[in-house]
Structure formats: C-alpha cells, structure tokens
C-alpha cells in the first residue's frame, strides 16, 4: 500500500465459525494522511444509504445481521430482508473506492471445537500481528491495530507484547472501539464478512462468495486471503 507518512492504521475484524471449520481476520490498512479524505467519502456513502434504504448513519452496519435479515436497521416501511445483501454489496463498492487504503485477510481451517477453536482463533491473531509487524519492518514504518470490543480479552494484548522490543513496529496493545460508534470498524466488518464467505466451500456458487475477489481483490495486499 502506498503511503505518504511513516505510520499505518489497521482496522481489524474477525469472522468464521466452528460449523464451517474456518476462522479468519481481515484488516483495512489506512494511510493516516488520507484518513480524513477516506472518512469523508465513506460518510457520503452512509448519506446515500439513508436516502436509498432509510438507514441512518448512526445505525451500526453489521454484515452478518444484514445478510441474515436480523433486526430492522431501516426506517423505510418497505424494507425487505433481501435488501440487506444490497447494502453489503454497495458498501463493499464504497470501500473499494476509498483512497489510501489496502485490504488483507489471514485464515485457518480447523476441526477444533469449543475452547480449542477459540484458542486456535487467538493463535491466528498472533500470526496476524507477526505478519503486520514484519511488513511494517520491511517498510521501515510503524502502525497500530484498532479492533471491535471493549478490551476485556487480554489475550489480544499478549500477542502484541510477545513481539521482541527491538523489532516491535506495532506500537501499543490493540486499541478497542465498539463497532456501534466506529465507522471504520464497520468497514472492517464488511471486509471480514466478504472474505469469510469467499472461503466457505458450501457458498462458492452463491454471489456473495465472489464479492471479496471481485470488489476488493484489487486492494488485497497479498492478492487474496492467506492461510496462516
């Protein structure tokens, strides 16, 4: 990802399920020098979403809920469950047009269940931290991860602290922001949802399974999801 400064923001979100056997993390890498411009464009998309679909910008866009027809995010009485997928597709296209960003995904396939699945997921996050830290080192740059949540799970912080001090390029522990108040965490959620559905073998014949490659593929810094 081209950058005009020596720092990068990574908005990270997870996806996956025990039933599918996949767990994944996707990130949106943002050049801070272009953050304001990109943010303005995304808010323009949120304004369009309100005009087209009756969803206020203050309402969290959560891809899993939109795709599954859960809840009623729209104020439009004509809102249909199928409209959720339309909003996701439009959102991915809006992400694809944001300036100064890159996208990436790491995943793992596992037969683990219960706490073992959770531990596998945390281990994958540790690999993500190592990968991002290594890439920052190659670029002689620094960065910070922003994630959905309240920070109560200290295992994420341990992955950062496991990096050697001399080579640590990801500064601080991950910074947590609730998706309900962060547009950028919602952007990462859309990327993570689409990446996960591109991996699920049972969904390869459905349209959403192609959206990550077709819409965000040109932004993926690795050319596609990477097994880690």
């Amino acid at each position: 990802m081209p950058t005009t400064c020596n720092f990068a923001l990574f908005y990270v979100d997870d996806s996956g399920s025990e039933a599918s056997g996949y767990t994944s993390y996707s990130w949106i890498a943002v050049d801070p020098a272009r953050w304001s411009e990109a943010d303005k464009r995304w808010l323009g998309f949120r304004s369009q979403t309100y005009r087209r679909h009756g969803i206020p910008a203050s309402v969290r866009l959560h891809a899993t809920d939109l795709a599954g027809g859960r809840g009623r995010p729209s104020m439009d009485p004509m809102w249909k469950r199928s409209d959720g997928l339309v909003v996701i597709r439009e959102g991915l296209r809006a992400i694809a047009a944001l300036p100064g960003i890159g996208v990436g995904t790491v995943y793992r396939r596992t037969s683990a269940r219960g706490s073992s699945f959770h531990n596998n997921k945390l281990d994958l996050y540790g690999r993500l931290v190592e990968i991002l830290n290594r890439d920052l080192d190659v670029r002689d740059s620094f960065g910070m991860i922003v994630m959905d949540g309240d920070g109560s799970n200290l295992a994420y912080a341990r992955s950062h602290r496991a990096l050697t001090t001399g080579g640590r390029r990801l500064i601080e522990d991950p910074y947590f922001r609730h998706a309900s108040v962060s547009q950028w965490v919602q952007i990462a959620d859309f990327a993570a949802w689409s990446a996960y559905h591109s991996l699920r073998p049972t969904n390869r014949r459905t349209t959403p399974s192609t959206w990550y490659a077709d819409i965000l593929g040109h932004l993926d810094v690795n050319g596609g999801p990477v097994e880690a």
Side-chain angles (χ1 to χ4, degrees), residues 9-16 23-30 63 92 95 102-108 121 124-125 127-129 131-132 144-148 156 184-199 212-213 216 219-222 224-226 228:
L9 287 168
F10 299 99
Y11 293 91
V12 174
D13 200 20
D14 67 295
S15 194
T23 182
S24 62
Y25 288 91
S26 296
W27 69 89
I28 302 289
V30 188
L92 291 172
I95 294 169
V103 177
T105 296
V106 292
Y107 74 93
R108 184 172 295 176
K121 180 177 178 179
L124 179 61
Y125 178 78
R127 286 290 297 128
L128 166 65
V129 167
I131 290 168
L132 294 182
M144 175 178 282
I145 286 179
V146 182
M147 297 180 68
D148 182 23
Y156 290 107
W184 283 94
V185 173
Q186 293 174 44
I187 291 172
D189 170 77
F190 269 38
W193 181 91
S194 63
Y196 169 59
H197 280 271
S198 75
L199 298 169
Y212 185 81
L216 299 182
L219 293 174
D220 193 299
V221 296
N222 297 307
V226 173

Side-chain angles (χ1 to χ4, degrees), residues 42-117:
W42 177 258
L43 291 177
F45 160 72
R46 290 306 308 260
S47 295
Q48 292 175 3
T49 302
Y50 178 64
R51 292 193 296 270
R52 293 174 182 171
H53 304 288
I55 302 177
S58 59
V59 171
R60 175 191 178 188
L61 294 181
H62 187 237
T64 298
D65 290 346
L66 287 168
R70 301 172 187 167
R72 188 176 181 83
S74 174
M75 299 172 63
D76 186 345
M78 301 301 291
W79 171 265
K80 305 182 299 298
R81 290 185 59 177
S82 59
D83 291 337
L85 285 173
V86 175
V87 173
I88 294 173
R89 185 173 64 246
E90 292 176 353
L92 291 172
R93 288 173 176 166
I95 294 169
L98 296 179
I101 73 165
V103 177
T105 296
V106 292
Y107 74 93
R108 184 172 295 176
R109 190 171 185 180
T110 175
S111 59
R113 294 292 184 267
S115 61
S116 295
F117 180 85

